[in-house]
Amino acid sequence: MNTEFQIKENGFAEIKKALIIKTIPVAILAAGTGLTISHINSNGQTTDVNVLLFLIPLVVGALAFGLFKGINRQKELFESYKLIVNEYEIVREQNNTQTISIPRNEIKSIIKNPKGILTIVGSSNTDVIGVPSQINNSEKLEQILSEIKPITYSDKKPPFEKYKGVLILIVLGLMATVFISTNKLLVGITGSILILFLGYSFYEVRRNKNIDKKTKNSMWWLLLVLFSVIGNMYLKITGKL
């Protein structure tokens, strides 16, 4: 017999504000870094300043539109979340996202953090089901899960999540250095680190079963960034730029 759990009514409203607060600074930093690189590489010419006066409002508008569309897409994904528990397995279903199925006898651990988020870990590091605290009948769900595996409590975050802000600043700094610096050694070192990080990020996102298909497909654009970094490194190190 299947027991289904879905997101409670108005559950997205509880995380919407936090999602916006996390997204806006990253978007502004990324856009600001891009505009700075463009301005410095143009040597601050007057014509370029005039272009920036037109470009900055355009970028702000694009960010606002992108944020609006992104929040609506996240709402649709979040509200489509469904957790199915039966005598054989635990299944997570979500729109445009790969279904995760973990046999009950392969569950290694069930962890609950201080925010009430549950993490069900299977035998593979890609078989991980995150259960939002906004799930309905959470007490019933925890009771069922505790019969499968004792629920442990931990406030530890994965390294990437814990240092996400620092990593974003590092990546933007590396990007700025590669495209602005004229020092061949510095460009070579920072560019190599950036290539490794971008390549690893692409691989991890593509294999993550908790990330929706649209986000995964958008990662192909990351290859364009990767190739532009490689091309810029080659031109600078060989003295052709």
Side-chain angles (χ1 to χ4, degrees):
M1 179 179 176
N2 289 343
T3 305
E4 294 187 4
F5 300 88
Q6 295 177 305
I7 299 299
K8 64 185 180 183
E9 188 176 354
N10 297 322
F12 185 76
E14 296 181 11
I15 66 168
K16 182 178 179 180
K17 183 178 179 181
L19 194 62
I20 293 174
I21 291 173
K22 288 180 181 179
T23 303
I24 289 178
V26 175
I28 292 175
L29 277 172
T33 301
L35 290 172
T36 301
I37 291 172
S38 175
H39 180 65
I40 292 176
N41 284 339
S42 65
N43 296 319
Q45 296 177 4
T46 304
T47 53
D48 182 65
V49 173
N50 293 333
V51 170
L52 284 177
L53 291 175
F54 166 78
L55 190 59
I56 289 175
L58 189 65
V59 170
V60 172
L63 289 177
F65 178 75
L67 179 63
F68 173 77
K69 292 282 289 183
I71 291 297
N72 284 340
R73 185 164 68 88
Q74 288 301 316
K75 182 177 185 292
E76 181 183 340
L77 284 170
F78 190 75
E79 293 180 344
S80 70
Y81 183 100
K82 182 188 293 184
L83 192 72
I84 303 168
V85 183
N86 57 43
E87 58 184 310
Y88 305 108
E89 60 187 356
I90 297 177
V91 181
R92 194 274 287 132
E93 296 179 352
Q94 199 166 13
N95 283 355
N96 299 315
T97 307
Q98 183 177 352
T99 298
I100 301 176
S101 176
I102 306 178
R104 292 171 72 127
N105 60 359
E106 291 184 9
I107 294 176
K108 286 185 174 181
S109 62
I110 302 174
I111 304 167
K112 184 178 181 180
N113 73 9
K115 293 183 179 181
I117 299 172
L118 292 165
T119 303
I120 304 169
V121 183
S123 58
S124 168
N125 58 9
T126 59
D127 289 333
V128 177
I129 297 176
V131 185
S133 59
Q134 290 76 26
I135 201 78
N136 66 348
N137 296 322
S138 57
E139 291 183 1
K140 180 180 178 181
L141 174 60
E142 288 190 33
Q143 180 183 352
I144 293 173
L145 292 178
S146 63
E147 293 172 359
I148 301 172
K149 203 84 173 178
I151 298 175
T152 58
Y153 297 84
S154 175
D155 59 356
K156 290 183 179 179
K157 297 180 179 179
F160 178 78
E161 183 181 344
K162 186 177 182 179
Y163 301 107
K164 184 178 180 180
V166 175
L167 288 173
I168 290 173
L169 290 175
I170 290 174
V171 169
L172 292 176
L174 291 172
M175 188 78 71
T177 302
V178 169
F179 285 95
I180 293 174
S181 177
T182 56
N183 185 297
K184 294 181 180 180
L185 180 60
L186 186 59
V187 169
I189 294 173
T190 55
S192 297
I193 296 172
L194 186 58
I195 289 170
L196 289 173
F197 185 85
L198 293 178
Y200 177 76
S201 298
F202 178 84
Y203 170 76
E204 284 297 317
V205 169
R206 293 291 302 177
R207 72 194 286 263
N208 193 319
K209 296 179 181 179
N210 286 289
I211 296 178
D212 64 282
K213 293 177 182 177
K214 186 170 183 178
T215 300
K216 287 187 176 184
N217 290 336
S218 69
M219 290 300 290
W220 290 107
W221 287 100
L222 191 64
L223 293 183
L224 292 178
V225 177
L226 193 61
F227 291 143
S228 69
V229 170
I230 294 172
N232 188 77
M233 286 176 60
Y234 171 76
L235 293 174
K236 286 188 175 181
I237 291 173
T238 58
K240 295 180 180 179
L241 184 65

